[in-house]
Amino acid sequence: MLSREEYLAAWSAWHGGTDPADSRLVRGWLSAAYAAARPLARVPPIAATALGLVVAVAAVVPAWAGGAWLVLAGPLIGVSAVLDSLDGALAIATGRASRRGFVLDSAVDRLSEAAFAAALWAAGAPGWLAAAYGALCWLPDYLRARAGQAGVSETGAVSVWERPTRVAMTGFTLGGAGVLAGLDLAAEVVTAGTAVGCLLGVVGVAQLGTALRRALAD
C-alpha cells in the first residue's frame, strides 16, 4: 500500500495535477480517507462507491420526515461522503485505480449531490434554490471535464466550493435544522444554509472560471 505522501501525489495525478496542499480542508479530507482505507485494503473500492450512493439517497427519507428526524439526515450525508472518499483512497492507495473506476466515481458523486439537493428541498428549501444548489455542485466538475477535453492538463486551483465544502454545508444545514426543529426554525435554517451554499458555489465557480480562462488562453 502506498504511503500517505505517495497517495496524495497519486491523487493529484488522477485529478489533473491539483495540489491538495492548496487547501487544508482538502488535504485533511484526503488524509482522513487514507487513514480509514489502510485497515480496509482488501475491500473492493466499488463496494464503498455503491454504499456511499445508497446512504446519500437514504438521507432524503429523514429530510422528508422533517422535525427531529433532520438530525439523522446530517450524519447520513457525512457518512456517504466518507464512503465516497474511501473508495477513491482504496483504489489509489492499493494500486487498483483505473479510468473506468475514475469515471464511475465521478458519476456517483454527481448522483450523490443530486440527493443532497433533494434532501434540502425535502427539508424545506424552496425548489428553485435547491435546484440552484445542485447545479452549483455539478458545475465545477463539468467545467473541469470540458476544459480537459479542450486540452487543459491542469484542473484549476482548489476553490472554496470543493467536494468537502459541499458535503459540510449540506450535512450541517440539515443537522442544524434538526437541532432547531423544536423552535419551528427548521425551514428557515435549511433555506439559509442552502442560500449560503449557493453563494459559496458562485464564488467557487468564479475562482475556477478565472483559472481555466487563463489556461484556455495559453
Side-chain angles (χ1 to χ4, degrees):
M1 189 169 187
L2 300 180
S3 69
R4 185 172 68 93
E5 294 306 317
E6 290 172 335
Y7 161 70
L8 292 173
W11 182 92
S12 177
W14 275 100
H15 292 80
T18 300
D19 188 355
D22 289 343
S23 169
R24 290 184 180 180
L25 179 60
V26 172
R27 184 180 177 86
W29 184 273
L30 293 174
S31 296
Y34 172 79
R38 283 186 64 87
L40 301 172
R42 295 186 179 181
V43 174
I46 187 64
T49 301
L51 185 57
L53 178 58
V54 169
V55 173
V57 173
V60 178
V61 177
W64 187 267
W69 285 104
L70 288 167
V71 175
L72 177 60
L76 284 175
I77 294 294
V79 170
S80 75
V82 169
L83 289 167
D84 172 66
S85 296
L86 181 61
D87 68 352
L90 285 169
I92 294 174
T94 61
R96 289 179 285 184
S98 65
R99 290 183 297 177
R100 182 176 62 181
F102 182 75
V103 172
L104 176 62
D105 183 59
S106 297
V108 169
D109 284 352
R110 305 292 77 77
L111 292 174
S112 295
E113 286 164 353
F116 294 176
L120 292 169
W121 170 72
W128 65 269
L129 189 61
Y133 187 96
L136 287 165
C137 285
W138 285 29
L139 188 54
D141 294 278
Y142 174 78
L143 291 174
R144 285 184 168 120
R146 295 296 290 174
Q149 291 177 335
V152 176
S153 58
E154 297 185 1
T155 56
V158 175
S159 73
V160 299
W161 191 237
E162 300 299 333
R163 175 83 170 162
T165 310
R166 302 169 209 164
V167 171
M169 280 301 308
T170 308
F172 283 124
T173 295
L174 292 171
V179 170
L180 296 175
L183 300 177
D184 292 327
L185 294 174
E188 288 79 2
V189 171
V190 171
T191 299
T194 306
V196 171
C198 287
L199 178 60
L200 289 173
V202 170
V203 173
V205 168
Q207 289 177 313
L208 178 61
T210 299
L212 292 179
R213 181 181 179 184
R214 293 187 188 128
L216 290 167
D218 291 340

